[in-house]
Amino acid sequence: MNRVKDHYDRQLADIYNWMSGSPEAAIKRNYELFQLLEVNSAAPGLAIDLGAGSGFQSIPLAELGFSVIAVDFCASLLSQWSTRAEQLSIRTVHDDILNFSQYVEEKAQIIVCMGDTLTHLESLSAVKSILLDSDRTLAKNGKLILTFRDYVSVELQKTQRFIPVRSDDSTILTCFLEYHQDVVEVYDLLYRKEGEQWVFKASSYPKLRLDKNWVCQQLQEIGMQVIRNEIINGMICIVAQKI
């Protein structure tokens, strides 16, 4: 079984929106990011959201005027906002993002793979596959927007590896990072209060230690032009254009 999918199904899906603090704030943050990146839809066009999750990218893209295909392997996350998706021009697809091109019948103006979705892939060859399929699917001058966390340039040490994510009166989530050569193992340590008792649940999954320079090199080798490579909101943000 895909370990990342299993981890989301068993551990993260139920608390994903809670983890974000405020889904509406996450949606607003991405809306502002798309404006910063000069994403707009002067004419009707297709946008593809790889790793759509709770719709934090799909919803602002639809509000900007795009027709969106939202792909995610977690049915529970997609179902949590399916009613809202029906009110916008969004089609949700429950599948692995590696299969996204099967659901696309026209060229796309925008493809996004955001959050930390790219590092969830099992190998660098899977990342290459996503980049190649994106290039094939994009229209001329179409843009690919990638965001992911930097697990390469700095390796946290000792107690720095314990990262408090969020807590309230009934739920506490802490992450612990264990570094290996090619991946970082992410342990999600979850306490939830059930009645008067605190129940502990732990699960882990690997994330690729993805080098932004390697990603840019792959994009350039397939003929895309990297037009942005910077840190935005604490995440690596790479924008490439099909030329």
Side-chain angles (χ1 to χ4, degrees):
M1 178 179 285
N2 182 313
R3 286 187 59 201
V4 178
K5 182 181 186 307
D6 183 50
H7 181 77
Y8 267 77
D9 288 342
R10 293 189 297 107
Q11 183 90 332
L12 291 186
D14 287 345
I15 61 169
Y16 194 82
N17 284 341
W18 172 84
M19 286 168 53
S20 72
S22 165
E24 291 304 323
I27 291 168
K28 181 175 183 292
R29 196 159 49 243
N30 281 330
Y31 186 90
E32 292 170 349
L33 175 60
F34 291 143
Q35 289 183 313
L36 175 67
L37 299 179
E38 299 180 338
V39 172
N40 56 63
S41 181
L46 175 65
I48 302 170
D49 183 5
L50 304 179
S54 293
F56 297 164
Q57 297 83 232
S58 294
I59 291 170
L61 284 170
E63 291 176 343
L64 283 167
F66 289 95
S67 176
V68 182
I69 298 176
V71 187
D72 202 280
F73 61 24
C74 185
S76 175
L77 286 179
L78 291 174
S79 68
Q80 291 174 23
W81 60 285
S82 58
T83 301
R84 184 167 184 176
E86 291 170 359
Q87 298 167 356
L88 296 166
S89 183
I90 300 174
R91 174 162 66 101
T92 60
V93 173
H94 175 220
D95 201 349
D96 193 303
I97 64 172
L98 289 171
N99 302 323
F100 83 90
S101 61
Q102 299 176 14
Y103 304 95
V104 182
E105 298 177 353
E106 61 182 285
K107 294 294 185 180
Q109 278 66 51
I110 294 287
I111 298 177
V112 303
C113 186
M114 296 172 60
D116 221 5
T117 299
L118 208 58
T119 67
H120 290 167
L121 294 173
E122 293 184 346
S123 65
L124 293 181
S125 63
V127 175
K128 288 183 181 180
S129 177
I130 287 288
L131 301 182
L132 283 166
D133 283 347
S134 295
D135 178 61
R136 296 187 188 107
T137 305
L138 283 168
K140 183 180 178 181
N141 297 322
K143 292 180 180 178
L144 173 64
I145 300 175
L146 308 171
T147 71
F148 54 95
R149 289 188 177 87
D150 182 2
Y151 299 111
V152 173
S153 62
V154 176
E155 187 170 311
L156 300 179
Q157 301 293 324
K158 298 182 179 180
T159 57
Q160 292 178 327
R161 296 176 296 160
F162 290 89
I163 302 170
V165 179
R166 193 179 176 214
S167 64
D168 60 23
D169 291 341
S170 61
T171 308
I172 302 170
L173 178 63
T174 301
C175 285
F176 174 74
L177 306 183
E178 183 177 60
Y179 291 86
H180 304 280
Q181 181 175 350
D182 299 320
V183 302
V184 56
E185 189 77 12
V186 180
Y187 294 83
D188 284 325
L189 312 176
L190 177 66
Y191 286 89
R192 303 189 84 170
K193 197 168 187 180
E194 298 181 4
E196 296 300 318
Q197 301 293 321
W198 284 94
V199 177
F200 175 66
K201 187 177 180 182
S203 181
S204 73
Y205 66 119
K207 288 188 177 184
L208 287 175
R209 300 184 70 177
L210 201 54
D211 190 322
K212 64 178 183 178
N213 296 322
W214 179 87
V215 173
C216 289
Q217 180 182 349
Q218 301 307 308
L219 290 165
Q220 290 164 352
E221 287 181 1
I222 63 178
M224 298 192 74
Q225 180 181 7
V226 176
I227 56 178
R228 297 186 82 128
N229 176 12
E230 56 194 295
I231 303 295
I232 301 178
N233 297 328
M235 305 279 283
I236 295 168
C237 180
I238 296 172
V239 181
Q241 189 166 30
K242 182 169 182 175
I243 54 176

